[in-house]
Amino acid sequence: MSSAFSKRMQKTATRLLGTYGSSVNLIRAGTKVWDPVEGEYVVSPSVTIPLNSVPVPVNVALVNGTTIQAGDMIVRADHSVLPKTEDKVSFNGAEWSIVAIETKMVNDDVIAWFIQVRK
């Protein structure tokens, strides 16, 4: 159930990440579309979506070598874009693969996404 408090938390997270966040982009791969002229499936170009987010390194104490590896980062993003595991994240001139996505919620509203990424 959505509430005034959870909506206020969404706005606060978006404002703070927009003010103090970094330049991070979500790269969504193009979809396969049937081209009747070519007579085959054609992949549309990928789409770059800017994120209100900040990348932070994973706490060294959490590295276990399997699900969390040394060098992994957590991109903390606001609720405005729904990330998917097949997307990529781009920041600091590098493209990172999404390993896991954690949802941060208040009541039924998504406040933020914690996206674990790996080179």
Side-chain angles (χ1 to χ4, degrees):
M1 177 167 102
S2 182
S3 69
F5 175 74
S6 60
K7 293 295 184 187
R8 196 168 65 234
M9 290 299 100
Q10 277 184 333
K11 290 177 186 174
T12 301
T14 300
R15 180 178 48 81
L16 290 172
L17 287 168
T19 302
Y20 300 107
S22 301
S23 176
V24 179
N25 292 313
L26 184 79
I27 301 169
R28 182 147 295 154
T31 57
K32 289 171 86 172
V33 181
W34 179 257
D35 185 353
V37 176
E38 296 288 329
E40 61 185 20
Y41 284 100
V42 179
V43 178
S44 61
S46 60
V47 178
T48 301
I49 305 166
L51 292 177
N52 286 327
S53 61
V54 61
V56 294
V58 171
N59 186 340
V60 177
L62 298 176
V63 174
N64 60 15
T66 54
T67 57
I68 302 173
Q69 298 180 0
D72 284 2
M73 300 279 282
I74 299 292
V75 176
R76 296 178 180 174
D78 75 345
H79 72 284
S80 61
V81 177
L82 174 65
K84 300 177 184 175
T85 54
E86 58 268 11
D87 295 337
K88 304 279 186 190
V89 176
S90 171
F91 59 91
N92 290 340
E95 197 169 286
W96 300 66
S97 297
I98 295 177
V99 177
I101 302 169
E102 184 180 353
T103 307
K104 298 297 182 180
M105 297 182 78
V106 173
N107 296 333
D108 290 338
D109 292 324
V110 174
I111 303 301
W113 303 100
F114 283 18
I115 308 166
Q116 180 184 348
V117 295
R118 183 176 297 152
K119 276 190 184 180

